[in-house]
Amino acid sequence: METYRIENLTFAFPLSDAPALSGLNLTVRSGEFVAVCGPSGSGKSTLLRQLKPVLAPHGERSGEVCFRGTPIGDIDPRAQASEIGFVLQSPDNQIVTDKVWHELAFGLESLGFDSRTIRLRVAEMASFFGIQTWFHRSVTELSGGQKQLLNLASVMAMHPSVLILDEPTSQLDPIAAVDFLETVKRINRELGTTVILTEHRLEEILPVCDRLVVMDRGKIIADGT
């Protein structure tokens, strides 16, 4: 089953001389682990943000992006929030509450889940991600690696079918980065979640990803195993 189908996608920022994305065609199947790489400015982050419209930058877009066979623009924000998980580069930019346990519950509360479901999912995520020992701590006391792991756990608490990560280890130290990527691998293998990730630490990703997509100057120049 297709998670994403991208056909002839072109995107240009306002007042830009050249498009940031040019005629992209890409299909991502359910359960795949797809890594996207390329030099800075190649369009990786711009492409990923097109996959969740609430995060898409302002500009002129043509072509089609479909999520599970539905044009991405027709998917309501609630469905986007629950089905399409997105982890940003900066650990601090995604945290919105003061305590670890509240951060885990925040997305579920926003979507209107009942208290029993929230407690169950928060407990599941705390166990899966191994954060029981700092469950009641203030987020200001956490390291960068712990904050990014909390962001990931908070997203996964909503049980998304796809997880998109935009250079999630760029601000982490090497040990925290390796631990974080190991957790992403587990999510793909054990939960069957589709993963689309941009990452510079390719030595950690290449052994486990199903496909590598290489971008340069807004175009896909290679796509294969």
Side-chain angles (χ1 to χ4, degrees), residues 130-149:
I131 61 179
Q132 303 98 318
T133 56
W134 37 282
F135 187 75
H136 294 285
R137 289 174 64 182
S138 168
V139 295
T140 58
E141 300 173 5
L142 304 182
S143 67
Q146 288 174 323
K147 288 179 180 178
Q148 197 66 309
L149 193 64

Side-chain angles (χ1 to χ4, degrees), residues 8 11 15 31 46 59 64-65 72 84-85 89 101 107 112 122 141 148 154 157 159 167 195 197 221 223:
N8 200 31
F11 176 82
L15 306 178
T46 304
E64 186 171 50
V65 178
I72 196 79
I84 305 173
Q89 291 184 24
W101 67 267
V122 166
E141 300 173 5
Q148 197 66 309
S154 301
H159 291 182
E167 297 188 11
V195 173
L197 171 144
I221 60 172
D223 176 5

Side-chain angles (χ1 to χ4, degrees), residues 20 37-44 214-222:
C37 71
S40 297
S42 61
K44 305 184 299 296
V214 184
M215 294 187 65
D216 189 29
R217 299 180 184 180
K219 297 181 178 181
I220 293 175
I221 60 172

Side-chain angles (χ1 to χ4, degrees), residues 14-207:
L15 306 178
S16 175
D17 295 331
L21 303 173
S22 182
L24 299 191
N25 292 283
L26 182 67
T27 299
V28 178
R29 293 179 293 277
S30 178
E32 272 195 305
F33 191 133
V34 179
V36 182
C37 71
S40 297
S42 61
K44 305 184 299 296
S45 295
T46 304
L47 169 60
L48 261 57
R49 287 177 177 268
Q50 300 298 319
L51 304 181
K52 185 162 183 169
V54 295
L55 296 177
H58 180 64
E60 185 175 341
R61 193 186 82 178
S62 62
E64 186 171 50
V65 178
C66 290
F67 177 71
R68 291 181 160 184
T70 302
I72 196 79
D74 294 342
I75 299 174
D76 66 80
R78 178 186 172 88
Q80 284 189 44
S82 60
E83 288 292 325
I84 305 173
F86 204 111
V87 176
L88 303 168
Q89 291 184 24
S90 172
D92 292 308
N93 286 350
Q94 206 162 341
I95 292 175
V96 294
T97 67
D98 58 342
K99 299 290 185 182
V100 170
W101 67 267
H102 195 193
E103 188 68 24
L104 286 171
F106 181 78
L108 298 169
E109 291 172 346
S110 301
L111 292 175
F113 282 89
D114 61 84
S115 297
R116 182 179 180 278
T117 301
I118 292 174
R119 286 196 299 269
L120 179 62
R121 291 202 188 179
V122 166
E124 287 176 346
M125 291 303 105
S127 176
F128 184 88
F129 289 93
I131 61 179
Q132 303 98 318
T133 56
W134 37 282
F135 187 75
H136 294 285
R137 289 174 64 182
S138 168
V139 295
T140 58
E141 300 173 5
L142 304 182
S143 67
Q146 288 174 323
K147 288 179 180 178
Q148 197 66 309
L149 193 64
L150 176 59
N151 285 331
L152 181 59
S154 301
V155 166
M156 291 306 300
M158 291 182 279
H159 291 182
S161 60
V162 59
L163 176 62
I164 301 170
L165 306 103
D166 185 10
E167 297 188 11
T169 69
S170 62
Q171 297 187 25
L172 304 185
D173 64 71
I175 294 175
V178 169
D179 289 343
F180 183 87
L181 293 175
E182 280 295 330
T183 304
V184 174
K185 297 173 194 176
R186 282 186 62 211
I187 289 172
N188 177 250
R189 286 201 213 103
E190 298 178 19
L191 304 181
T193 307
T194 306
V195 173
I196 305 171
L197 171 144
T198 61
E199 179 58 56
H200 287 300
R201 302 173 193 269
L202 293 179
E203 68 277 4
E204 301 295 335
I205 293 302
L206 286 176

